[in-house]
Amino acid sequence: GAGGLLGSGLVRHLASRGEHVLVPGPVPWRDEDLASEVLGRAVDALVEAAGGGSWGIAWCAGAGVTGTPQEVLDQEVRVYERFLETLSERSAQLDPSLGSYFQASSAGGVYAGGSEPPFTEHSEVAPLAPYGRSKLVAEDLTRRFASAQGVPTVIGRISNLYGPGQNLAKSQGLISQLCKADLLGQPSLIYVSLDTIRDYLFVDDAAAMVAALLDEAPRRLAGSDESHVTKILATQRPVTIGALIGECRRVFGRRPRVVLGASPVARFQALDLRMRSVVWPDVDALATTTLASGVHKSLLDIAQGLRAPVADR
C-alpha cells in the first residue's frame, strides 16, 4: 500500500532513517490473479534482500471506505488472504525471530457500533458497515498467520488518518475535503451531526508509530504466549466536527463553507469514536502533531496538488 496515505508516509519515514525499503507495485488490485503475482514477486524480493537477517512487512493497503460495496471488500480480503498464503509458503526462508509484521486496520470501522466510548483494545468490537466487518475478517487472517508462523505481529487499529497524500477522490478524509473546498471556493457537504466526535491522527505521526511497532514487536512479544497484539493508533485527543471546523477557520483565515446534508452511509457513522489505548502506551507519545499544524500541512499539500497559491498562514 505504498501509494496510499499511510503507506507513502511510512515509506518516507523509513527512508529518512536510512532503511532499505522495498515497495511492490504497481499492484493491479482489481485483478486478483495479477495482484497476487505482483505481491508474490515482492515477497521473493524481500527474502533475497533479507538474506537470513532481519526483516519487516507493513500491510497498509486497502481502497475500501465506509460505503464501499461488499463485493469490492470481499475481493480485497481475498487478495490479502492469498498474500498471506504466499508469505507462509516462503516462511522457511525468513527467520521469524528476526522479523515483524504490521497490518493496518480501522478503529472507526470495528468500533462504530460500540456503546461505551472511549474504546480500548479490550472493548468489544461492533462494526456497523461491511467495511468494518471486512477489517475484522482481515484481522483474523493476520492472527492465524502470526500464530502459525510465529512472526511477531501487530494489528494497528488506526483512528481517522489525515495529512499530505490523502486520496481526494475517495469519499473520506473530512480534513482534506475541507481544505480542498476552501482552495476551490466550494462548499463541503457534511452528513453527520456537528457534535460527532472523532480522533484525527496525522499521517507522519502514524508512520512513526508503525515504525516503532515494527521495531519493538520482536522484543516485546518474545516472552508472550501470543505472537500477535492489537493496538489502537490514535492521538487520544477527541475533537467534535464543530470544533474541527473552528480550527480550520483559524488556519484558513476564513470560515469554511459547510453544507449540512444527508447520505445513505450516514447510518454507518457513530456519534462518539473516542479512543484510549492501553497497549504499549509509550508508543502513543509519538502522536505529537497539533490539529492546527496538521490542517495547515494538509492545506499546503493540497494547494500544491491543485497548483493553487496559498499564503504562509
Side-chain angles (χ1 to χ4, degrees):
L5 179 57
L6 178 60
S8 61
L10 182 58
V11 168
R12 290 194 305 271
H13 181 82
L14 293 175
S16 71
R17 301 195 322 185
E19 302 277 0
H20 181 198
V21 182
L22 296 175
V23 178
V27 180
W29 296 106
R30 296 305 179 213
D31 187 317
E32 293 180 37
D33 292 332
L34 286 178
S36 297
E37 288 181 18
V38 172
L39 292 170
R41 290 195 294 270
V43 172
D44 291 336
L46 172 66
V47 170
E48 182 178 357
S54 61
W55 58 277
I57 296 175
W59 182 272
C60 302
V65 296
T66 300
T68 299
Q70 182 72 62
E71 60 270 19
V72 176
L73 296 168
D74 289 343
Q75 183 185 49
E76 285 192 6
V77 170
R78 288 194 298 269
V79 171
Y80 183 56
E81 184 173 19
R82 292 176 66 172
F83 167 74
L84 289 179
E85 290 172 352
T86 300
L87 186 57
S88 297
E89 292 168 0
R90 312 290 203 278
S91 61
Q93 300 167 275
L94 294 167
D95 187 339
S97 67
L98 297 177
S100 57
Y101 188 89
F102 175 86
Q103 180 219 346
S105 187
S106 168
V110 304
Y111 295 123
S115 59
E116 297 184 8
F119 301 105
T120 76
E121 290 87 353
H122 304 311
S123 297
E124 184 177 357
V125 295
L128 288 177
Y131 172 70
R133 291 190 286 273
S134 72
K135 290 300 182 184
L136 289 179
V137 172
E139 286 187 11
D140 185 58
L141 291 171
T142 300
R143 293 188 187 95
R144 282 191 275 166
F145 161 78
S147 297
Q149 304 303 324
V151 177
T153 296
V154 179
I155 296 170
R157 290 177 177 166
I158 304 174
S159 64
N160 288 62
L161 196 65
Y162 77 101
Q166 187 136 42
N167 184 354
L168 299 178
K170 293 172 70 173
S171 57
Q172 65 175 169
L174 177 57
I175 290 176
S176 294
Q177 296 298 334
L178 287 168
C179 290
K180 178 183 177 182
D182 177 73
L183 292 166
L184 297 178
Q186 299 174 346
S188 293
L189 174 64
I190 294 179
Y191 52 85
V192 294
S193 166
L194 297 185
D195 292 332
T196 299
I197 300 173
R198 293 292 183 266
D199 185 305
Y200 296 98
L201 179 63
F202 189 63
V203 61
D204 290 352
D205 294 348
M209 296 169 84
V210 172
L213 293 169
L214 285 168
D215 292 342
E216 290 293 318
R219 179 179 66 83
R220 299 195 187 195
L221 290 172
S224 171
D225 294 334
E226 297 284 356
S227 57
H228 53 80
V229 67
T230 299
K231 174 163 177 61
I232 290 173
L233 277 63
T235 66
Q236 302 177 65
R237 299 187 291 270
V239 179
T240 66
I241 290 180
L244 171 63
I245 292 172
E247 200 70 45
C248 287
R249 179 178 183 176
R250 286 186 284 274
V251 174
F252 299 166
R254 53 183 168 266
R255 179 185 291 276
R257 298 182 182 182
V258 172
V259 175
L260 299 181
S263 168
V265 301
R267 68 185 187 279
F268 298 138
Q269 298 291 339
L271 179 63
D272 188 344
L273 279 176
R274 285 173 290 153
M275 303 289 165
R276 181 171 61 86
S277 179
V278 297
V279 172
W280 301 359
D282 54 303
V283 176
D284 303 332
L286 294 170
T288 59
T289 303
T290 65
L291 185 58
S293 177
V295 170
H296 186 219
K297 291 176 181 178
S298 300
L299 182 69
L300 293 176
D301 176 71
I302 294 170
Q304 183 177 18
L306 296 174
R307 301 186 183 279
V310 177
D312 185 16
R313 305 169 189 175

